[in-house]
Amino acid sequence: MKKVIALALSVLMMTSVLAGCGDKDKPGGAGTSGSVSGGTSGSQGAANQDPIKIGSIQDTSGGASLAGQPNQWGVEYAVRWINENGGINGRPVELYSRDCQNDAEVGVTNYRELVDEVGVCAIIGPPLSNPASAWVELATEDKVPIVGHFMDEVCTTDPDTGEAYPYMFLAEPSCAVQSYILAEYGMKELGVKTIATLYNTSNAYAVAHEGPFVSYVESNGGSVLARETFGWTDTDYTAQAQKIAALNPDAVLLCDYCNQMVTAYDNLRDAGYTGYILGANTMYPPFNTLVKNKITDCYFVQNYDLSTGTIAELLEIQMQETGTDYPTSNVGFGWDACMVLFNAMKQAKDPTDGEEVRQILENSTKDVESAGGAKITIDPAIHRPTRDMGMYIATYDADVNVDCLVYMTSDYNS
């Protein structure tokens, strides 16, 4: 292992942080289920040596597969790495993976298979809010902790009561926090006063970004000139882009999955819009390889500086193993979700006891190091990271490489 990952291991062992599962099944295999074990046994005496079964549900073949495949690789690698370094308190982990195909119903079927047939004790959830939101009641009934990066707040807290769902946990800043950070940067650093938005009303992720962004702008003296929308089946947004271009706002917010972001960006530039385009973290690569227009005046939120630390080493390995020719943050998302779950499992008397692991996730997830070096501490009230976990503001340089400009946090509440 490379030195940064080796250093992370030593820190994790000292703070009772990790665990995982192994095997090098090809990431992104649709509907794959794998029992992947391996590693050494670090327990002594007659301690339980039975494998710990965890599930992973990702979109590896659907509309968000550009995110789901590297996310799945991050899960697989984290599990493999932990097993190679002693497992969870000496017990190896077995990983069972499913492809939700960006479909909530398929995701529920995946969940039921993993819980009822395989018998997993926890699940690493998808990079998708729509499927994850369908698991809330299931996870509570079955007492199965779920950790993912489904960033819509309704996946972790009840929108009516504000109370946290017992078994749902997010391992990165939520949609609202990310949007506040982006809006603040746009208004304070770029001088944005007027904005428009172009987003998918069928995508919970997009909706959860757009509303808080608009709220921040309006609350801080800005004006919203247009809120243009589209749906999953739409493949061209030219009419919406032309309306926005005619209004000529200082900036346009794009907050969807990568494929939709590419279409929206090209439609806006084709319509003659030359202002700032502010984006969600799905504007990172491969966005830059898919757009046909030159990338100019784009600023977006980014979880990690991909050029340094553990995330850089993970990307080097992932790109080599999978033949990928661009780096993507989703590798780190899969890794981070595992780190948060395994931190709790290492603290548990019985890492397969969902209720015990849930309580530790809620109350004792503190300073778990992310792939980017930021510390993940879960707020017990909302099951999401505390506000001191921020985001980078990034752009593309002249060579169309990601350039992280500044790391920001936000205390704003709408």
Side-chain angles (χ1 to χ4, degrees):
M1 291 294 163
K2 303 202 180 227
K3 61 183 180 181
V4 173
I5 296 182
L7 177 60
L9 175 63
S10 66
V11 173
L12 290 168
M13 292 304 182
M14 286 189 295
T15 57
S16 286
V17 169
L18 249 64
C21 154
D23 194 69
K24 292 176 63 174
D25 286 350
K26 183 179 179 181
T32 54
S33 71
S35 156
V36 224
S37 62
T40 60
S41 171
S43 306
Q44 297 180 357
N48 187 350
Q49 301 295 298
D50 293 340
I52 297 168
K53 297 179 180 180
I54 67 167
S56 176
I57 302 177
Q58 310 293 334
D59 174 16
T60 56
S61 69
S65 59
L66 287 174
Q69 291 179 16
N71 196 78
Q72 175 64 16
W73 185 92
V75 174
E76 291 175 352
Y77 188 79
V79 161
R80 185 201 325 171
W81 182 67
I82 289 302
N83 274 347
E84 290 173 352
N85 291 277
I88 300 177
N89 301 332
R91 295 175 64 178
V93 180
E94 292 182 351
L95 178 66
Y96 295 81
S97 300
R98 296 291 187 274
D99 173 18
C100 66
Q101 304 170 35
N102 194 22
D103 186 299
E105 292 185 7
V106 174
V108 170
T109 299
N110 295 159
Y111 172 93
R112 288 262 61 101
E113 288 177 353
L114 290 173
V115 173
D116 297 340
E117 299 175 20
V118 177
V120 301
C121 60
I123 293 174
I124 300 298
L128 308 167
S129 299
N130 285 10
S133 62
W135 305 345
V136 169
E137 293 183 3
L138 300 176
T140 301
E141 179 180 347
D142 298 324
K143 297 185 177 180
V144 174
I146 296 176
V147 183
H149 71 279
F150 29 76
M151 291 175 285
D152 186 348
E153 288 81 0
V154 301
C155 294
T156 46
T157 52
D158 187 321
D160 296 323
T161 66
E163 295 181 357
Y165 293 123
Y167 287 84
M168 303 292 289
F169 296 87
L170 175 65
E172 68 171 303
S174 68
C175 289
V177 171
Q178 294 188 27
S179 288
Y180 298 153
I181 290 171
L182 184 62
E184 180 177 343
Y185 183 85
M187 297 190 77
K188 292 184 177 180
E189 301 300 326
L190 302 178
V192 169
K193 295 180 180 178
T194 60
I195 64 121
T197 64
L198 178 56
Y199 70 106
N200 182 357
T201 54
S202 301
N203 187 351
Y205 168 86
V207 173
H209 272 289
E210 196 268 355
F213 185 92
V214 166
S215 177
Y216 184 98
V217 170
E218 291 181 330
S219 297
N220 286 275
S223 299
V224 181
L225 304 186
R227 301 174 77 172
E228 294 293 327
T229 64
F230 54 89
W232 282 123
T233 59
D234 298 325
T235 58
D236 183 86
Y237 325 135
T238 296
Q240 299 94 315
Q242 289 175 340
K243 291 179 183 178
I244 291 172
L247 294 169
N248 195 30
D250 295 331
V252 179
L253 171 71
L254 304 182
C255 51
D256 225 287
Y257 295 154
C258 185
N259 290 334
Q260 289 75 24
M261 298 277 276
V262 168
T263 301
Y265 180 86
D266 280 334
N267 287 167
L268 283 166
R269 293 310 192 204
D270 286 345
Y273 179 70
T274 59
Y276 294 120
I277 293 184
L278 307 180
N281 62 1
T282 45
M283 195 172 274
Y284 55 59
F287 173 87
N288 58 329
T289 69
L290 299 175
V291 293
K292 67 178 184 180
N293 284 278
K294 182 179 180 181
I295 297 180
T296 57
D297 292 323
C298 281
Y299 296 87
F300 55 98
V301 285
Q302 170 81 337
N303 296 68
Y304 319 109
D305 180 346
L306 303 184
S307 66
T308 185
T310 298
I311 185 63
E313 294 190 13
L314 292 172
L315 287 170
E316 180 182 353
I317 299 168
Q318 183 260 350
M319 292 170 70
Q320 181 179 17
E321 290 190 355
T322 64
T324 304
D325 57 5
Y326 58 85
T328 172
S329 293
N330 287 76
V331 168
F333 297 159
W335 173 275
D336 286 351
C338 285
M339 296 303 100
V340 169
L341 175 62
F342 299 153
N343 169 63
M345 285 183 163
K346 283 191 74 73
Q347 296 181 60
K349 292 180 180 178
D350 179 1
T352 66
D353 183 334
E355 173 59 19
E356 183 185 9
V357 171
R358 182 204 75 77
Q359 291 182 6
I360 295 171
L361 282 167
E362 179 176 280
N363 299 302
S364 301
T365 302
K366 299 183 183 355
D367 294 332
V368 177
E369 186 167 336
S370 75
K375 305 298 184 182
I376 305 173
T377 295
I378 296 296
D379 183 338
I382 56 176
H383 287 190
R384 303 191 290 270
T386 53
R387 289 295 184 91
D388 55 358
M389 186 181 186
M391 301 283 287
Y392 286 95
I393 297 295
T395 189
Y396 285 103
D397 63 21
D399 296 321
V400 202
N401 295 314
V402 174
D403 182 13
C404 288
L405 302 175
V406 62
Y407 188 79
M408 298 176 60
T409 60
S410 176
D411 291 326
Y412 177 79
N413 285 293
S414 60

